[in-house]
Amino acid sequence: MRVLLVEPDKIQAGSIVEALRRDGHKVEHAVSAQQAVHIADEQIPDVVVLELQMPRHNGVEFLYEFRSYPEWLRVPVIVYSYVPPRELIQSATLSTELGVVSMLYKPETSLAALCAAVRKVPSVAIS
Amino acid sequence: MVQEGSGVTLNGQEQLFLSLAEQLSRPLVQIAQLAELGTADDLETARLRWHMVQSVSHASLQLVESYALSLRVQGKVTPLSLEPITVSSLLYDTAQVLQPLARHYGVTLELDPGPRAQPILADRTVLQSAMTSLGQVFVMSQAEADEQAPVRLCAHRNRYGVVAGMYGNAPQLGADSLRRAQALKGRAREPLQRLVSGPAAGVFVADSLLRTLATHLHVARYRSLTGLATTLQPSHQLQLV
């Protein structure tokens, strides 16, 4: 599976990329929303793993922009963030309008659990 | 008192603790992830990860210790110990402390102590802690910037004194980070739509420490870079000595 990881923290990104690659995925890493759009433009990812807290643009803005392109409409997004789940759940638009298939709270989610969530991404979205 | 989303009220102190907790959860997640990966590594990779864990945990402890120091000095539990300090040596020592963290984040540190300046009279531990807290913020923020630039530790003279600070080109540094830090006391939590990463707690701690020395952080520019700095008063008595 082609995974686009949007993660501003380089130390964490290194660990996440390593874990996903060990799990058999091809991973591209973007440190910013702008870079993520550029990478997705080159090759559409099968799934996006996204940190909502980013410098300059935030992840929600990125999602709105990402969904504004018809070819990226069906790409599933996994939010893997420091934003507490309760705050995310209150924002119903994340799952309904913005196609977030899973919301994972970083402090409580191991890399193994993230890999499991990526493996569970609905195959219909990938096809 | 500030109002949070569902009616929960946070006072200034609680807001600051929340910010510190959020900032400290980042290195702890980094450490947990590195440890999780470390179980299936060759010796060389494991050694590299061990060094990362060491510098990340050291930086986190430094933040906690700096915050505790600012409270101890404010509460007069720890008295200030004033001594003559040259700003260039202070910046050099700060760069030494920051170097391991900068290396792991892939950020270059550049030292520009400026022309020889008069010594200042300050508490070296307090001033060094403030500059280190600030430096960590700059290293971590600079690593997230689209365009890589070094973090510069600079000092220069102006008519108000010796200006010592950190500079970079990360968008979240400068005026915005200082405003966020100063607003930690009495600021409502950012709504979801405005979530932008920001190291407010680290800047706040640096500013708190500097205030115990009767100075503070301010926004500064150095060539094309933005930054945060403090203006220190040279000691005319020391100059005579």
Side-chain angles (χ1 to χ4, degrees):
Chain A
M1 204 182 287
R2 282 188 304 276
V3 182
L4 170 56
L5 170 67
V6 190
E7 170 59 67
D9 185 316
K10 286 182 180 166
I11 290 182
Q12 277 184 50
S15 300
I16 299 166
V17 167
E18 173 85 32
L20 289 169
R21 282 185 183 153
R22 279 185 193 176
D23 213 37
H25 306 293
K26 189 181 170 201
V27 190
E28 296 267 20
H29 170 227
V31 293
S32 66
Q34 194 181 5
Q35 209 178 60
V37 169
H38 182 73
I39 291 172
D41 206 23
E42 300 264 304
Q43 193 169 28
I44 301 175
D46 296 320
V47 60
V48 174
V49 174
L50 173 71
E51 167 57 83
L52 289 176
Q53 291 187 323
M54 290 192 281
R56 205 177 338 222
H57 296 97
N58 70 49
V60 179
E61 286 170 347
F62 163 75
L63 272 178
Y64 274 108
E65 186 183 348
F66 194 72
R67 293 302 186 211
S68 69
Y69 296 89
E71 62 269 36
W72 297 339
L73 263 176
R74 297 184 69 202
V75 177
V77 173
I78 294 173
V79 167
Y80 180 52
S81 177
Y82 283 106
V83 183
R86 286 183 184 190
E87 290 184 28
L88 293 176
I89 289 163
Q90 281 173 359
S91 177
T93 52
L94 275 182
S95 51
T96 54
E97 287 178 28
L98 297 173
V100 172
V101 294
S102 190
M103 296 183 202
L104 305 173
Y105 185 43
K106 265 187 192 165
E108 292 174 353
T109 308
S110 66
L111 291 172
L114 172 66
C115 290
V118 171
R119 283 197 299 271
K120 271 192 217 161
V121 165
S123 54
V124 63
I126 301 167
S127 60
Chain B
M1 305 286 268
V2 292
Q3 194 77 21
E4 195 179 19
S6 58
V8 178
T9 321
L10 296 179
N11 64 32
Q13 202 69 10
E14 288 164 341
Q15 186 66 48
L16 176 61
F17 287 151
L18 176 62
S19 180
L20 276 169
E22 285 173 348
Q23 188 150 336
L24 286 173
S25 74
R26 287 168 191 271
L28 290 174
V29 166
Q30 288 173 340
I31 290 167
Q33 289 178 342
L34 288 165
E36 191 179 348
L37 282 175
T39 51
D41 278 326
D42 60 277
L43 191 61
E44 193 54 38
T45 315
R47 190 172 290 142
L48 179 71
R49 294 223 170 94
W50 181 76
H51 283 301
M52 269 192 199
V53 167
Q54 204 175 22
S55 68
V56 164
S57 48
H58 180 75
S60 317
L61 278 171
Q62 202 278 331
L63 178 68
V64 175
E65 281 302 310
S66 293
Y67 179 57
L69 178 64
S70 75
L71 292 181
R72 284 193 207 110
V73 174
Q74 281 168 35
K76 302 199 188 315
V77 178
T78 301
L80 283 175
S81 172
L82 302 180
E83 58 179 307
I85 299 168
T86 54
V87 175
S88 55
S89 74
L90 180 91
L91 289 182
Y92 178 81
D93 289 349
T94 305
Q96 294 291 312
V97 173
L98 292 174
Q99 191 58 51
L101 189 71
R103 191 168 48 244
H104 289 308
Y105 273 100
V107 172
T108 307
L109 292 180
E110 287 185 1
L111 186 61
D112 181 1
R116 187 180 160 83
Q118 297 157 318
I120 57 161
L121 199 59
D123 185 309
R124 189 174 189 97
T125 306
V126 170
L127 199 49
Q128 175 95 55
S129 295
M131 297 309 279
T132 306
S133 295
L134 190 62
Q136 288 175 353
V137 165
F138 270 68
V139 166
M140 289 188 259
S141 299
Q142 193 62 56
E144 296 178 357
D146 285 338
E147 282 180 42
Q148 285 303 300
V151 168
R152 286 209 170 92
L153 294 78
C154 305
H156 66 272
R157 287 211 60 178
N158 68 13
R159 60 187 166 141
Y160 302 109
V162 181
V163 181
M166 310 274 166
Y167 302 82
N169 72 347
Q172 66 273 41
L173 294 174
D176 187 47
S177 60
L178 185 59
R179 192 167 51 246
R180 281 161 178 266
Q182 288 173 341
L184 266 183
K185 287 192 175 176
R187 175 177 66 83
R189 192 164 166 71
E190 295 283 350
L192 187 59
Q193 310 306 0
R194 292 186 55 211
L195 280 175
V196 178
S197 67
V203 177
F204 177 89
V205 167
D207 191 50
S208 299
L209 283 165
L210 290 169
R211 284 179 190 278
T212 65
L213 298 173
T215 181
H216 60 274
L217 278 178
H218 56 78
V219 179
R221 286 192 71 80
Y222 176 82
R223 295 174 189 162
S224 61
L225 303 175
T226 53
L228 296 174
T230 185
T231 302
L232 304 159
Q233 299 301 322
S235 166
H236 297 295
Q237 284 175 315
L238 287 172
Q239 192 185 13
L240 291 174
V241 174

